[in-house]
Amino acid sequence: MPYPTDRERDRPWVIRTYAGHSSAKKSNALYRRNLAKGQTGLSVAFDLPTQTGYDPDDELAKGEVGKVGVPVSHIGDMRTLFDGIPMAEANTSMTINAPAMWLLALYVAVADEHGAPRDELAGTTQNDIVKEYLSRGTYVFPPAPSMRLISDTIAWSVQNIPKWNPINICSYHLQEAGATPPQELAYALSTAIAVLDAVRDSGQVPQERFGDVVGRMSFFVNAGLRFVEEMCKMRALARLWDEITRERYGVADPKQRRLRYGVQVNSLGLTEAQPENNVQRIVLEMLAVTLSRDARARAIQLPAWNEALGLPRPWDQQWALRMQQVLAYETDLLEYEDLFDGSRVVEAKVAELVEGARAEIDRVQEMGGAVAAVESGYIKGRLVSALAERRRRIEAGEDVVIGVNRFQATEPSPLQAEGAAAIETVDPATEAAAIEALRAWRAGRDAAAVDSALDALRDAAKTDTNLMGASISCAKVGVTTGEWARVLREVFGEFRAPTGVSAAVVGGSAAGEIVEVRERVRAAGETIGSRLRMLVGKPGLDGHSNGAEQVAVRARDVGFEVVYQGIRLTPAQIVAAAVQEGVHVVGLSVLSGSHLEVVPAVVDGLRAAGADDVPVVVGGIIPAEDAAELRERGVAAVFTPKDYQLTAMMDEIVSLVLAAHDAG
């Protein structure tokens, strides 16, 4: 989007909603409706199997198909997703990382079928794998080959689809994982440095064109409720980005050095309790990234008020869309130059953030850069510690959350009067339909052409050849997402990122409540005859591990011996670990909506293994109706975001363990 001159009324940012669920056909209908309502860009949410490189019929995909986004298994799905949408005119953001190259290949292949010139394609692939190791968990390959895929995608895009943003460096998910503003700035910019170094060192882009690479780099940021600080953070990011690209990479053109960023405002702060308060939270957070013209977002997508309850309905997304439109078209915000130029208060805060971020960037660079700091567990440990400290402040009432730890008294909400209908639900038949359609797709394609394309991809992966060409060829002959990823898994291997739990250090851990529960855990262990052991598990493909990590840290702090193996485990693997480790309780964390499928599988597996005396507790975004069903199916307790007092949760778990051993 072009930038206006200083005295020209600023153009509205690209207005998006993050959307997609169930199937390509249903998501296409949703996109068309949103565009008809005045949305000016698309933001595609992919389901977890697609994000992690699995087909719907894979064992790990069970319960996850179509839940948090749209399943895209092959070019046929991409055709359906963009049916009737002019791709040469669309501005499409795709939240995809480990298989970003693959989804971009599918997009380009369909655009070719539409007759859309490649040099007119506009949009963004997220493609930031570093933050996946730290927060969202949808990584697939080890860091080195992952950086190779990123570099190949960027180099190919700059030369073939010059209007496309081939990467979105995501500080958004760092904040969701607990990052303070200086940490968020530092780790995002450290990732950007690692990416730019990788592209430069690959030799695929001539030095004289490196400014084009920098000019297509974009960021995807988070804006929290401390909106003055958040606005200053964006000004600090713009200043640091200009400095790094000028001094480290020698980019002379100020237009190429300009910070280009999109936003989804904070979802971490949305509450299940009194969720109507989320509306004003979202509006205030939007101001953080729009008030300052010199650091204004060029694309914004807002969450819906009820995302802490489940999947938003189209009406909820429309409400979020209208929030943007009222600000952009009804107010006078876009008529003025920057409102904060010359402010001593703002300048002082920006300088403070810049100084803190620079110091942390230097620490990361001394370790060998962002990838090395991820592999060592340093950054993850810092994030887990920061989030644990934030939770401690909320539990202690030092940080106020309206409706949660202050002003809890409330009237019944008419917005939730419909019960389960207050959120969108995905038809359970969606997964079976996707599997059936996938099998029909495989049966109807040219198997020899598929095998040949996959062989070419495998051979290219063993060299330093850019893999975009081979991926587009795979897309055009009907290769599936799981097949593309499987071939690269064979060549590159897989990876399990550090959890950060063992490195987490939390202040205030000697608080009275923790001491009391710690004594109760000790006494319970003496009663049972061994120290209490808890397994914390993440079944399925849900990689949002922040909650599980915080539970593991608190369980450790109150005296449990904690077994936490990280993300992406099958129910059978969790059962095997629970039996092998002889745990006294299993705690499962599920935020993707797959709880009714994966949790009972763990309960049934424990019973089959003779460990039916091990209580299973579950935490996550779980509607009340589903919580009741889980309890009927053998789950001992269900915790949701409103249960923010982790120490009280630990106390309840001790009671469940004692009851299971008839020692209560």
Side-chain angles (χ1 to χ4, degrees):
M1 174 176 293
Y3 285 78
T5 61
D6 284 345
R7 298 195 175 278
E8 183 181 337
R9 188 183 196 276
D10 201 0
R11 293 174 177 83
W13 48 88
V14 176
I15 297 174
R16 295 185 171 120
T17 53
Y18 181 55
H21 67 86
S22 299
S23 68
K25 185 176 182 179
K26 289 186 177 180
S27 297
N28 172 261
L30 177 62
Y31 296 162
R32 290 194 190 196
R33 289 201 304 272
N34 286 345
L35 290 170
K37 294 172 183 174
Q39 184 174 301
T40 56
L42 295 173
S43 182
V44 181
F46 296 99
D47 73 352
L48 287 174
T50 305
Q51 291 187 52
T52 50
Y54 294 103
D55 286 333
D57 58 350
D58 192 279
E59 179 186 9
L60 271 168
K62 183 173 178 57
E64 307 281 14
V65 178
K67 285 286 173 64
V68 300
V70 56
V72 175
S73 301
H74 45 70
I75 193 172
D77 288 338
M78 190 67 84
R79 286 175 187 142
T80 301
L81 193 61
F82 287 92
D83 181 40
I85 297 173
M87 297 178 75
E89 301 170 21
N91 190 306
T92 304
S93 172
M94 295 193 285
T95 301
I96 194 73
N97 295 284
M101 174 183 284
W102 173 242
L103 272 298
L104 180 58
L106 290 172
Y107 189 86
V108 169
V110 172
D112 287 349
E113 293 178 351
H114 281 213
R118 290 184 176 182
D119 59 5
E120 292 297 319
L121 298 181
T124 304
T125 32
Q126 195 167 100
N127 204 19
D128 174 2
I129 203 64
V130 173
K131 64 94 176 50
E132 295 300 320
Y133 299 129
L134 299 171
S135 54
R136 287 183 75 247
T138 64
Y139 55 82
V140 175
F141 313 110
S146 294
M147 293 299 286
R148 182 243 177 116
L149 291 174
I150 291 171
S151 299
D152 282 1
T153 302
I154 292 173
W156 186 90
S157 298
V158 166
Q159 296 168 17
N160 292 275
I161 46 175
K163 292 184 178 181
W164 194 268
N165 303 321
I167 190 168
N168 234 349
I169 304 296
C170 284
S171 69
Y172 175 90
H173 304 93
L174 300 177
Q175 186 180 117
E176 297 281 295
T180 64
Q183 288 175 335
E184 186 182 342
L185 291 168
Y187 300 149
L189 288 166
S190 295
T191 297
I193 289 170
V195 168
L196 286 173
D197 283 358
V199 175
R200 179 195 62 197
D201 297 345
S202 75
Q204 296 187 69
V205 179
Q207 179 58 39
E208 62 271 17
R209 290 206 61 190
F210 201 73
D212 294 335
V213 174
V214 171
R216 297 321 302 175
M217 296 281 284
S218 63
F219 289 78
F220 186 67
V221 306
N222 204 332
L225 268 170
R226 294 174 57 84
F227 71 93
V228 175
E229 183 176 46
E230 295 291 310
M231 182 272 293
C232 292
K233 180 187 74 180
M234 297 319 307
R235 292 171 73 96
L237 180 57
R239 185 174 302 178
L240 286 163
W241 181 241
D242 183 78
E243 176 185 294
I244 289 168
T245 53
R246 183 181 66 252
E247 296 180 3
R248 186 180 181 96
Y249 300 105
V251 178
D253 186 345
K255 291 183 179 179
Q256 292 178 325
R257 299 198 309 267
R258 189 193 297 270
L259 175 68
R260 302 162 64 252
Y261 77 96
V263 175
Q264 171 153 326
V265 305
N266 191 304
S267 294
L268 178 67
L270 301 185
T271 63
E272 178 188 17
Q274 299 180 29
E276 62 276 5
N277 293 335
N278 293 330
V279 174
Q280 50 265 37
R281 290 185 177 110
I282 292 166
V283 170
L284 290 169
E285 290 166 348
M286 178 172 54
L287 292 178
V289 293
T290 54
L291 284 176
S292 175
R293 178 167 174 166
D294 290 349
R296 182 170 292 148
R298 303 317 301 172
I300 299 175
Q301 57 194 45
L302 302 181
W305 69 278
N306 56 350
E307 287 196 15
L309 307 177
L311 189 66
R313 300 160 298 184
W315 183 86
D316 305 313
Q317 292 190 329
Q318 175 182 302
W319 194 357
L321 173 64
R322 296 295 186 241
M323 293 178 198
Q324 293 200 59
Q325 291 170 327
V326 169
L327 181 63
Y329 299 113
E330 292 192 25
T331 77
D332 60 350
L333 176 66
L334 301 181
E335 297 173 12
Y336 297 95
E337 297 178 48
D338 197 284
L339 304 177
F340 303 101
D341 281 350
S343 167
R344 290 182 293 106
V345 173
V346 168
E347 183 53 38
K349 187 62 179 178
V350 171
E352 174 191 324
L353 292 170
V354 166
E355 181 181 359
R358 277 200 193 115
E360 189 66 9
I361 290 170
D362 290 344
R363 273 190 285 274
V364 170
Q365 294 307 305
E366 287 169 5
M367 295 177 184
V371 172
V374 166
E375 291 176 321
S376 71
Y378 169 76
I379 297 180
K380 184 65 172 178
R382 295 275 286 173
L383 294 176
V384 174
S385 296
L387 186 55
E389 173 59 18
R390 180 181 183 274
R391 290 198 63 93
R392 184 199 65 78
R393 293 195 306 270
I394 292 173
E395 291 182 42
E398 296 170 18
D399 287 359
V400 175
V401 183
I402 304 302
V404 175
N405 64 3
R406 191 177 295 184
F407 311 121
Q408 293 98 327
T410 181
E411 298 295 329
S413 170
L415 292 174
Q416 296 175 266
E418 300 173 71
I423 58 172
E424 186 82 29
T425 56
V426 175
D427 188 338
T430 294
E431 187 167 307
I435 292 172
E436 183 180 350
L438 177 66
R439 289 171 179 165
W441 175 266
R442 289 179 182 143
R445 63 190 181 175
D446 184 337
V450 168
D451 290 342
S452 177
L454 288 172
D455 287 342
L457 175 67
R458 183 181 293 106
D459 292 343
K462 295 174 182 177
T463 71
D464 60 0
T465 302
N466 189 298
L467 296 179
M468 269 300 297
S471 295
I472 293 173
S473 296
C474 284
K476 291 188 173 185
V477 298
V479 165
T480 70
T481 297
E483 291 165 342
W484 178 88
R486 187 184 69 242
V487 163
L488 295 187
R489 282 185 171 99
E490 292 171 4
V491 178
F492 296 152
E494 295 190 71
F495 183 72
R496 293 196 73 80
T499 67
V501 170
S502 61
V505 178
V506 188
S509 60
E513 288 183 2
I514 288 183
V515 171
E516 290 177 12
V517 177
R518 187 181 295 148
E519 173 58 26
R520 192 157 181 248
V521 169
R522 185 200 62 75
E526 288 185 357
T527 299
I528 291 172
S530 66
R531 183 183 175 189
L532 296 194
R533 289 186 295 281
M534 177 191 296
L535 183 146
V536 178
K538 290 284 296 177
L541 296 176
D542 170 28
H544 286 86
S545 58
N546 302 334
E549 289 153 4
Q550 294 307 308
V551 168
V553 169
R554 187 60 54 86
R556 178 200 68 188
D557 289 348
V558 299
F560 279 92
E561 182 180 330
V562 177
V563 178
Y564 178 54
Q565 300 170 315
I567 63 170
R568 213 176 303 168
L569 299 169
T570 65
Q573 288 172 323
I574 291 173
V575 169
V579 172
Q580 182 177 351
E581 298 287 347
V583 301
H584 300 99
V585 61
V586 172
L588 304 178
S589 171
V590 184
L591 288 90
S592 65
S594 64
H595 44 268
L596 290 180
E597 290 84 6
V598 296
V599 172
V602 173
V603 174
D604 295 344
L606 288 170
R607 287 172 177 164
D612 49 353
D613 61 339
V614 177
V616 175
V617 301
V618 183
I621 300 175
I622 301 173
E625 295 81 2
D626 290 357
E629 182 174 342
L630 288 172
R631 284 188 287 266
E632 288 175 4
R633 298 178 71 173
V635 171
V638 177
F639 301 100
T640 64
K642 70 177 184 299
D643 302 303
Y644 71 97
Q645 292 280 5
L646 290 183
T647 304
M649 184 188 303
M650 293 301 135
D651 192 49
E652 185 175 341
I653 289 172
V654 174
S655 296
L656 292 172
V657 172
L658 289 170
H661 287 79
D662 296 321

